[in-house]
Amino acid sequence: MNVLMILSVILFILMVSIGGNKGVLSFISLFFNFGVLMITIILMLDPDRNPIFLTMIACTVISCINLFFINEINRKTITAFISTMITIVILLLFIDLVTRVSMIQGFSEEQSEELAPYSLYIGVNFIKVGASVIIMSTIGAITEVAMSITSSMSETLNHHPSINHRDLFLSGMRIGKDILGTDTNTLFFAFFGGYMALLIWFKDLDYSLGEIVNSKIFSSEMITIFSAGIGIALIIPITSWIHSLVSLKLIARNRRVMNED
């Protein structure tokens, strides 16, 4: 039994013992999401297919898995899904523009030695692939924030059923403010944790701070972090507004039906 299998078993045991049935579904969803990513990458190899369009389909499927497969179809997951899709569309338009302007697509100078024996003509649009990579890096954080806000707002509504739209929206915003700082820092430290060896390599190559900041590989990762942070910031007001509007409308409709009966 190798290390990967041992870690998988430990993760499964912990998720089941803590999360119960949802823990099992969450563990299974990891393999579903991996399958979606692999299929998307394979489809992107065809130059006739648009990577951004494929990314939107993949994000939709991943959102359905993370929201509906794990947490079932209900008011919380539906509003979280709608908010996620709206945020992804806005973010995709922004990221596509940033990728074109910054020209971070393709391989960096630091990777040239490893790639020298191979042909660099791949036949795909790396500008769109670069935008797709950034979007894929943000989808997990966005769905997480959307679900956290809708769950918290639903608890607030259960305890205060007479709350109005404005107060419920502000409640979601306050929850989002607490999430915003921790999630953006999580993304930031995940980058430095994953690229610690690269930063050490930069130091061994005697890169100055300006050379590090202006290197393509560093810039692309920082743009990914900033784009994910923008997505997290956008999803908070969008989810808060949509969930408060939908929830109160459903409550008002149920009350009218009960009064008519």
Side-chain angles (χ1 to χ4, degrees):
M1 184 179 291
N2 58 24
V3 176
L4 291 178
M5 184 62 68
I6 294 174
L7 291 176
S8 300
V9 171
I10 294 174
L11 176 62
F12 178 75
I13 293 173
L14 289 174
M15 293 180 75
V16 171
S17 60
I18 295 174
N21 292 332
K22 284 192 176 182
V24 175
L25 295 176
S26 299
F27 185 80
I28 296 173
S29 69
L30 294 175
F31 297 94
F32 286 162
N33 289 331
F34 178 76
V36 172
L37 291 175
M38 291 302 299
I39 292 172
T40 304
I41 293 172
I42 293 172
L43 292 176
M44 282 184 183
L45 296 177
D46 187 345
D48 294 329
R49 296 192 176 99
N50 191 328
I52 293 181
F53 178 72
L54 293 175
T55 301
M56 279 301 304
I57 296 176
C59 288
T60 303
V61 176
I62 291 172
S63 298
C64 290
I65 294 172
N66 293 342
L67 295 173
F68 300 136
F69 177 72
I70 298 175
N71 298 290
E72 301 178 349
I73 299 177
N74 50 52
R75 188 175 64 213
K76 294 183 293 185
T77 55
I78 291 174
T79 53
F81 177 77
I82 295 172
S83 303
T84 299
M85 290 296 101
I86 293 174
T87 304
I88 287 294
V89 171
I90 296 172
L91 199 59
L92 187 56
L93 297 174
F94 172 75
I95 289 175
D96 185 48
L97 176 62
V98 170
T99 306
R100 293 176 185 275
V101 173
S102 61
M103 299 183 67
I104 59 170
Q105 71 278 358
F107 302 105
S108 64
E109 294 179 358
E110 292 78 15
Q111 298 168 311
S112 59
E113 184 177 348
E114 290 82 1
L115 297 170
Y118 304 102
S119 172
L120 296 180
Y121 181 73
I122 300 178
V124 296
N125 189 330
F126 262 87
I127 294 177
K128 293 181 179 180
V129 170
S132 300
V133 169
I134 297 175
I135 285 293
M136 285 293 190
S137 302
T138 62
I139 183 64
I142 289 174
T143 54
E144 175 198 348
V145 173
M147 194 63 207
S148 299
I149 291 176
T150 55
S151 297
S152 302
M153 290 178 69
S154 295
E155 286 298 314
T156 301
L157 189 60
N158 290 336
H159 288 87
H160 303 281
S162 60
I163 192 171
N164 57 41
H165 177 269
R166 180 178 179 275
D167 290 339
L168 186 58
F169 171 77
L170 292 177
S171 173
M173 289 296 294
R174 286 191 294 269
I175 296 165
K177 289 177 183 178
D178 295 334
I179 298 173
L180 180 62
T182 56
D183 271 29
T184 50
N185 276 287
T186 299
L187 294 171
F188 180 76
F189 287 111
F191 161 72
F192 278 100
Y195 281 83
M196 185 68 71
L198 175 66
L199 298 175
I200 295 173
W201 188 30
F202 282 155
K203 180 66 173 62
D204 289 339
L205 294 174
D206 294 325
Y207 272 35
S208 65
L209 180 61
E211 288 174 324
I212 293 175
V213 172
N214 287 285
S215 65
K216 179 182 286 187
I217 190 169
F218 183 86
S219 299
S220 63
E221 291 303 321
M222 291 306 296
I223 288 174
T224 301
I225 293 173
F226 290 143
S227 299
I230 291 171
I232 293 172
L234 282 175
I235 194 71
I236 292 171
I238 292 174
T239 304
S240 300
W241 186 81
I242 292 177
H243 190 65
S244 59
L245 184 65
V246 171
S247 297
L248 293 178
K249 280 189 175 182
L250 287 174
I251 290 176
R253 188 184 67 180
N254 292 335
R255 286 175 179 173
R256 286 197 301 269
V257 171
M258 292 178 63
N259 291 333
E260 289 175 359
D261 293 341

